[in-house]
């Protein structure tokens, strides 16, 4: 027995004492797939032109660490490396701006499934499934701060057409992979200062979305999700697509609600929303992220927000109805390192949640013994989660935590540092 196995044997016994089966917890962790965002690899730049970069939309990437993926080959190479560093089998989430346009300028209202055949074939070869997002930022027609709720019907028409085409692309992906592609819609629309036409803007958004979603597409191929936001840089006073707007929209139109952890008031507990929303919709999409004072999209770490999220996913019994999308981007450190730490930590938080003695905790609660509930949840926090996690990584043929720094450094040395 090596150290990882020895530590696991002790952890298994220790967890057993509090009523937790570590093997069963690892088995449960194998099931869900993360929908891993492609945009951590190139700072949300995409491939529309050789010098594309993220602009507008109130989202921002900071940092200029060397080694960013400059083209589709490099991005795929980095994602493949990432998938080797993350235990389990996962999906890859693309944005419309990541199509392969063969050096031509193809505007957003003209993109087609053909621009994504490279990705579809790559995904099939790699055995991963794809999710998709329409892209309503980094474009001249988004510069005013409005897209689907723009005052000019011509501009709205352009973005509605983009959304329709993205749904078709999503359906092509879903069909090819034999599993529905989740097509997520997030728009930046909003204002720096107080508008007087809030009602009209939201009416426009409702109309644009209805038009965009008018065509019924097979649910086994594509399902649409809508992502709300509270504020962004340059949209501090007003965001058209607020939480209330999209929650009501999704419930009334049978769409998936997307909850991004950075899109709420900093004191709101995002995990608490799961059990409310899932009373009324069959499925939920999460954008797992880490806001730091604002929607800063920091790399996900093991903080209370993430732990609570994992716990709620497990405690609600509805984890299978929740899509686990990642959404963070840090350009100030090694991007593969950022990606792998965020993805692995998300899984580790789920493992921690599966390592709860749920039956015992619920029994204490039912008996009104809230002291015992408190004491046991506190005890759980210092049980040997890391030993179970490392063993899980080992069984999945991925580095254990102590091997990650070196694995990332090696890739930096052989590959990323040569990108100059
Ligand atoms: C922006 C939203 C959105 C984007 C990605 C790139 O605030 O969170 O999901 O981060 O689509
Ligand atoms: Zn998001």
């Amino acid at each position: 027995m090596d150290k990882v196995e020895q530590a696991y044997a002790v952890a298994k016994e220790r967890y057993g004492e509090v009523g937790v089966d570590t093997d069963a917890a690892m088995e449960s962790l194998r099931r869900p797939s993360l929908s891993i965002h492609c945009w951590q690899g190139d700072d949300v730049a995409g491939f529309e032109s050789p010098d594309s970069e993220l602009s507008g939309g109130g989202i921002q990437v900071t940092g200029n660490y060397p080694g960013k993926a400059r083209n589709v080959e490099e991005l795929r190479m980095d994602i493949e490396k990432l998938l080797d560093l993350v235990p389990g089998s996962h999906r890859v989430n693309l944005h419309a701006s990541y199509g392969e346009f063969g050096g031509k300028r193809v505007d957003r209202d003209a993109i087609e499934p053909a621009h994504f055949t490279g990705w579809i074939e790559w995904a099939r070869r790699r055995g991963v499934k794809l999710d998709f997002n329409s892209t309503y930022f980094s474009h001249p027609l988004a510069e005013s701060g409005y897209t689907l709720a723009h005052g000019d019907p011509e501009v709205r028409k352009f973005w509605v057409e983009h959304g329709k085409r993205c749904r078709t692309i999503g359906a092509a992906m879903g069909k090819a992979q034999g599993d529905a592609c989740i097509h997520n819609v997030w728009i930046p629309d909003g204002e720096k200062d107080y508008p007087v036409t809030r009602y009209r803007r939201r009416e426009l958004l409702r109309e644009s979305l209805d038009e965009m979603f008018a065509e019924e597409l097979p649910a086994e191929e594509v399902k649409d999700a809508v992502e709300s936001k509270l504020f962004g840089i340059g949209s501090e006073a007003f965001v058209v697509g607020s939480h209330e707007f999209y929650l009501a929209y999704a419930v009334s139109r049978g769409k998936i609600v997307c909850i991004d952890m950075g899109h709420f008031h900093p004191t709101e507990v995002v995990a608490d929303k799961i059990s409310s929303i899932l009373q009324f919709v069959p499925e939920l999409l999460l954008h797992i992220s880490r806001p730091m004072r604002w929607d800063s999209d920091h790399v996900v770490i093991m903080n209370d927000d993430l732990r609570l999220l994992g716990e709620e996913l497990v405690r609600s019994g509805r984890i299978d109805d929740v899509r686990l999308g990642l959404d963070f981007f840090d350009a100030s450190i090694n991007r593969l390192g950022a990606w792998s730490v965020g993805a692995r930590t998300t899984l580790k938080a789920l493992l921690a949640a599966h390592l709860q003695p749920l039956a015992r905790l619920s029994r204490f609660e039912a008996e009104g013994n809230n002291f015992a509930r408190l004491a046991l949840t506190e005890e759980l926090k210092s049980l040997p989660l890391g030993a179970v996690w490392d063993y899980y990584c080992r069984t999945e043929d991925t580095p254990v935590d102590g091997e990650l720094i070196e694995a990332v450094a090696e890739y930096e040395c052989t590959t990323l540092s040569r990108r100059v």
Side-chain angles (χ1 to χ4, degrees):
M1 269 213 279
D2 77 351
K3 272 192 194 152
V4 171
E5 287 162 349
Q6 272 170 17
Y8 178 67
V10 175
K12 185 178 159 76
E13 206 181 310
R14 186 69 193 88
Y15 274 106
E17 285 162 12
V18 295
V20 170
D21 178 346
T22 49
D23 292 319
M26 289 191 296
E27 218 26 65
S28 305
L29 187 60
R30 267 185 197 107
R31 225 169 342 117
S33 307
L34 302 176
S35 180
I36 299 181
H37 58 316
C38 73
W39 50 90
Q40 165 62 57
D42 75 333
D43 313 340
V44 209
F47 307 130
E48 287 174 316
S49 74
D51 49 5
S52 339
E53 55 174 55
L54 172 64
S55 68
I59 48 176
Q60 249 180 40
V61 184
T62 46
N64 56 358
Y65 197 84
K68 111 179 192 184
R70 296 163 299 182
N71 51 51
V72 73
E73 289 77 26
E74 289 180 352
L75 187 64
R76 280 184 197 141
M77 195 192 297
D78 295 353
I79 295 174
E80 286 177 19
K81 183 68 200 173
L82 173 70
L83 293 172
D84 288 343
L85 300 181
V86 179
S89 59
H90 303 290
R91 303 168 74 95
V92 172
N93 193 12
L94 301 177
H95 244 283
S97 47
Y98 288 76
E100 289 173 84
F101 305 110
K104 281 190 239 59
R105 168 109 186 108
V106 180
D107 213 347
R108 303 258 174 100
D109 63 344
I111 58 170
E112 290 173 10
H115 300 122
F116 292 86
T117 11
W119 279 110
I120 293 173
E121 274 159 21
W122 170 82
R124 183 183 291 142
R125 275 201 310 279
R126 281 288 318 191
V128 301
K129 288 171 180 157
L130 299 172
D131 291 315
F132 199 55
N133 299 261
S134 21
T135 312
Y136 301 87
F137 48 84
S138 308
H139 191 280
L141 286 183
E143 251 160 39
S144 71
Y146 283 105
T147 63
L148 290 175
H150 200 284
D152 179 348
E154 284 306 308
V155 177
R156 290 201 301 279
K157 201 172 134 206
F158 175 89
W159 290 114
V160 166
E161 183 60 29
H162 174 63
K164 286 183 179 171
R165 284 168 180 263
C166 286
R167 296 183 74 223
T168 311
I169 294 165
M173 290 173 171
K175 194 169 181 186
Q177 66 202 18
D179 186 55
C181 163
I182 304 298
H183 163 241
N184 182 51
V185 175
W186 172 75
I187 61 163
D189 296 36
E191 290 212 22
K192 183 184 176 77
D193 221 332
Y194 302 119
V196 292
T197 53
R198 288 172 194 259
Y199 189 88
R200 179 65 185 142
R201 290 292 184 186
R202 290 187 169 133
E203 191 172 43
L204 289 174
L205 178 55
R206 175 172 54 78
E207 287 168 9
S208 292
L209 291 171
D210 281 347
E211 200 184 324
M212 195 167 116
F213 294 138
E215 190 187 347
E216 206 53 69
L217 294 175
E220 14 2 306
E221 292 176 7
V222 65
K223 291 184 189 174
D224 306 292
V226 284
E227 179 180 2
S228 67
K229 191 156 172 165
L230 179 66
F231 77 95
I233 292 188
S235 59
E236 290 86 353
F238 175 59
V239 168
V240 186
S242 62
H243 181 50
E244 293 75 10
F245 179 93
Y246 280 128
L247 188 59
Y249 189 87
V251 171
S252 62
R253 308 300 199 265
K255 298 295 174 193
I256 297 176
V257 184
C258 172
I259 296 289
D260 183 308
M261 292 175 81
H263 292 189
F264 295 88
H265 291 281
T267 55
E268 267 183 88
V269 179
V270 174
D272 182 52
K273 300 176 188 304
I274 294 172
S275 54
S276 294
I277 301 176
L278 282 177
Q279 302 292 334
F280 305 100
V281 296
E283 269 188 288
L284 190 63
L285 168 64
L286 294 177
H287 271 190
I288 301 173
S289 190
R290 174 165 57 113
M292 174 92 74
R293 305 186 194 283
W294 67 289
D295 179 34
S296 60
D297 296 287
H298 276 66
V299 178
V300 168
I301 58 170
M302 187 69 86
N303 56 15
D304 282 352
D305 294 339
L306 186 71
R307 289 191 85 112
L308 272 171
L309 190 81
E311 284 168 4
E312 266 311 306
L313 289 171
V314 171
R315 290 173 180 172
S316 65
R318 297 286 301 272
I319 189 168
D320 292 341
D321 301 318
V322 182
R323 307 277 181 149
L324 309 167
L326 303 182
D327 188 9
F328 53 82
F329 28 97
D330 190 337
S332 74
I333 56 175
N334 179 305
R335 291 173 185 76
L336 176 70
W339 233 340
S340 54
V341 165
R344 288 169 61 101
T345 304
T346 301
L347 292 170
K348 201 192 282 177
L350 288 180
L351 177 63
H354 285 301
L355 290 168
Q356 310 168 82
L358 207 46
R360 241 180 111 201
L361 287 166
S362 309
R363 196 171 62 243
F364 286 146
E365 189 168 289
E367 289 163 354
N369 193 349
N370 291 350
F371 153 68
R373 182 184 65 185
L374 177 71
L376 183 52
T377 47
E378 281 306 287
E379 181 184 351
L380 288 172
K381 289 180 183 167
S382 49
L383 290 192
L385 167 65
V388 183
W389 167 254
D390 277 351
Y391 185 72
Y392 177 71
C393 289
R394 177 64 66 79
T395 61
E396 287 286 318
D397 241 356
T398 46
V400 302
D401 274 359
E403 294 162 349
L404 186 67
I405 296 176
E406 209 183 302
V408 171
E410 192 200 316
Y411 190 70
E412 172 155 9
C413 177
T414 59
T415 311
L416 300 175
S417 64
R418 309 203 167 173
R419 292 179 189 165
V420 275

